[in-house]
Amino acid sequence: MKLLKSAVIAASLALSLGSFSTAAVACEDGRTCFGPEQAIDITVGFTAEAIKAADDKSGKQEVLMLIKKAKDSSKEINANDVVDRKRQRAVGHLKKAKKALKSDDFQGAEDHLGAAEKGFADLKNHL
């Protein structure tokens, strides 16, 4: 009887744990989840928009907003340790671009944004 009870408990535990997918639970906080390639494309898109806005000198606040969106979307890029280290380097360029923009150096911001865009685009080679 003890053996049957243990077997039933083990089977029900295995079934209940197997019914939940970790991918489905990963984004239950209301945000939209993307795969690494999609997140890279979105981040490169925001970075390219920020470069264009900085080139047009359309407004410091708009460029800062696009840099923030690029930085936030880069957090979705999670494939492996190598990709994460390279992502952090590219985010470092975004931070430097933000700092340059706050001191009204649009050309320096464009340079750092270009480096960030290249860094994010190169992440696809390491997936």
Side-chain angles (χ1 to χ4, degrees):
M1 193 60 162
K2 285 185 178 182
L3 183 64
L4 182 61
K5 183 178 177 182
S6 297
V8 169
I9 290 173
S12 64
L13 182 64
L15 287 174
S16 66
L17 290 176
S19 66
F20 294 107
S21 171
T22 57
V25 177
C27 296
E28 63 183 22
D29 59 351
R31 60 189 171 93
T32 305
C33 292
F34 300 102
E37 289 184 10
Q38 292 173 322
I40 290 170
D41 291 337
I42 291 168
T43 305
V44 169
F46 282 131
T47 308
E49 287 180 42
I51 291 171
K52 184 179 178 199
D55 188 37
D56 295 342
K57 294 179 180 55
S58 60
K60 191 187 328 186
Q61 292 302 319
E62 181 182 350
V63 180
L64 288 172
M65 181 192 64
L66 289 167
I67 289 174
K68 183 178 179 350
K69 285 184 179 180
K71 190 175 173 186
D72 289 344
S73 66
S74 75
K75 294 175 185 175
E76 294 293 325
I77 303 170
N78 51 1
N80 56 41
D81 291 342
V82 173
V83 170
D84 191 49
R85 282 193 304 270
K86 293 189 181 292
R87 180 194 67 82
Q88 288 176 354
R89 286 188 192 129
V91 168
H93 285 291
L94 289 176
K95 290 178 183 178
K96 289 176 184 175
K98 184 178 176 180
K99 186 176 179 181
L101 258 168
K102 287 188 176 181
S103 64
D104 292 328
D105 181 15
F106 279 90
Q107 184 58 42
E110 283 181 51
D111 295 339
H112 286 297
L113 286 170
E117 182 181 30
K118 184 180 182 308
F120 286 125
D122 288 342
L123 290 179
K124 284 190 176 183
N125 299 331
H126 301 285
L127 291 179

